[in-house]
């Protein structure tokens, strides 16, 4: 990208690698490792019926705070949540990673994603624009926000048996 300083390029590379790792952990159902990427005040949001709805006023597909994210993972480990039995096979492609804002403490970034899901009921392709707010923590980041805007979020969706 033209006009980027070496520091901005290094930040973009670090953010890109973090986003790729987060996607891989989800694809491989490594939910404990995925959960460890979250900040204590993290919010995981998949809006319904538009990109910029107010999740406090309108329905979302997922709108979880950090506590609810942890609860989902604990419930998954009980073996009593059958939404993933058998587990979907997942692979996603993440592209067009952009830095939107960097205030020195937190970074806002965005990326496009295409996710292929294979499960007993059939195959599904999910497309989204993902927005991230990442907080610097030592040499790594923690997710403060992950917003997944599905391209088809205004339509009735098949059940989603995994965290997108």
């Amino acid at each position: 990208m033209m006009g980027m300083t070496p520091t901005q390029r290094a930040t973009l590379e670090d953010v890109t690698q973090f986003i790729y790792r987060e996607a891989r952990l989800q694809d491989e159902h490594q939910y404990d490792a995925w959960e460890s990427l979250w900040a204590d005040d993290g919010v995981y949001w998949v809006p319904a019926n538009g990109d910029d709805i107010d999740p406090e006023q309108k329905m979302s597909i997922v709108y979880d705070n950090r506590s609810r994210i942890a609860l989902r993972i604990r419930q998954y480990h009980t073996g009593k949540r059958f939404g993933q039995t058998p587990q979907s096979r997942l692979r996603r492609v993440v592209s067009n990673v952009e830095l939107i804002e960097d205030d020195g403490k937190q970074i806002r970034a965005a990326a496009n994603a295409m996710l292929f899901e294979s499960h007993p009921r059939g195959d599904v392709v999910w497309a989204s624009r993902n927005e991230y707010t990442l907080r610097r923590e030592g040499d790594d980041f923690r997710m403060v926000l992950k917003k997944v805007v599905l391209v088809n979020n205004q339509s009735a969706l098949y059940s989603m048996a995994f965290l997108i």
Side-chain angles (χ1 to χ4, degrees):
M1 298 174 78
M2 293 179 33
M4 291 184 80
T5 68
T7 300
Q8 290 169 323
R9 285 182 194 274
T11 299
L12 176 61
E13 179 63 24
D14 291 345
V15 167
T16 300
Q17 289 304 309
F18 179 89
I19 291 171
Y20 288 169
R21 179 172 21 127
E22 189 256 346
R24 178 182 52 79
L25 293 173
Q26 286 184 297
D27 286 351
E28 295 174 356
H29 304 282
Q30 294 182 30
Y31 296 125
D32 290 327
W34 178 78
E35 183 188 357
S36 74
L37 301 177
W38 285 92
D40 290 341
D41 57 344
V43 173
Y44 178 48
W45 182 28
V46 183
N49 301 313
D51 301 353
D52 290 313
I53 64 166
D54 179 351
E56 299 292 334
Q57 301 293 321
K58 301 209 176 185
M59 181 189 76
S60 294
I61 298 165
V62 174
Y63 186 58
D64 287 353
N65 62 23
R66 181 65 182 85
S67 176
R68 179 71 179 129
I69 292 167
L71 179 60
R72 279 185 190 271
I73 303 302
R74 285 194 312 274
Q75 288 174 334
Y76 171 77
H77 285 308
T78 67
K80 296 178 182 177
R81 295 291 186 206
F82 297 108
Q84 279 290 31
T85 305
Q87 287 183 332
S88 295
R89 294 180 51 120
L90 307 170
R91 280 296 162 216
R92 72 194 74 211
V93 176
V94 178
S95 68
N96 299 62
V97 177
E98 299 177 89
L99 298 181
I100 307 300
E101 183 181 353
D102 182 355
D103 69 7
K105 295 178 184 171
Q106 291 189 155
I107 296 171
R108 286 185 48 239
N112 293 332
M114 291 281 293
L115 171 63
F116 181 82
E117 176 191 14
S118 180
H119 57 81
R121 293 169 297 188
D123 298 335
V124 180
V125 175
W126 303 90
S128 65
R129 177 70 172 170
N130 299 344
E131 299 174 18
Y132 305 84
T133 301
L134 306 176
R135 182 176 299 135
R136 287 181 170 87
E137 208 172 272
D139 292 337
D140 207 357
F141 301 105
R142 291 288 176 262
M143 284 190 290
V144 176
L145 171 71
K146 180 178 182 185
K147 178 181 172 186
V148 179
V149 181
L150 294 168
V151 172
N152 60 339
N153 76 359
Q154 80 291 347
S155 304
L157 301 175
Y158 297 103
S159 65
M160 196 176 296
F162 58 94
L163 300 170
I164 192 160

